[in-house]
Amino acid sequence: MKNYRKPKQQNDYQSRYRRHRRLVRTGQVLMALGALVAIAHWVAHLAPTGQGPSITEDIFIGYPTGALLLLAGAVIAGRTETK
């Protein structure tokens, strides 16, 4: 026998607001992680000579990863609130 339940109403303004706030907080966390990655990479460059990050880490891991996380977080956190 099939279960014919009434689906939840998706137009509930409170659930939309909670989802929006969750997305904003997630974006803010991503931006903070991106800043931490970039700062950690910068601190790694301050190490004595010969102990800094390699060229591969410079190209793929350091600043580009931090910038990508920062940008993705800004896009997610900057979404306009639902009407």
Side-chain angles (χ1 to χ4, degrees):
M1 177 179 250
K2 291 186 179 181
N3 189 2
Y4 292 103
R5 283 190 284 173
K6 189 176 182 181
K8 284 187 175 181
Q9 187 178 7
Q10 295 297 324
N11 295 332
D12 185 21
Y13 70 93
Q14 290 176 341
S15 66
R16 284 186 286 150
Y17 179 76
R18 282 192 304 269
R19 181 178 184 273
H20 171 71
R21 294 309 304 165
R22 201 172 328 134
L23 281 173
V24 168
R25 292 294 177 220
T26 302
Q28 290 171 344
V29 167
L30 281 175
M31 289 189 324
L33 285 174
L36 284 174
V37 167
I39 290 170
H41 186 69
W42 176 68
V43 169
H45 275 285
L46 296 176
T49 57
Q51 295 177 4
S54 69
I55 189 72
T56 331
E57 290 174 350
D58 260 349
I59 293 173
F60 297 114
I61 297 173
Y63 297 122
T65 304
L68 193 67
L69 284 171
L70 199 71
L71 183 65
V75 167
I76 292 172
R79 295 175 49 128
T80 58
E81 188 173 344
T82 57
K83 305 285 187 258

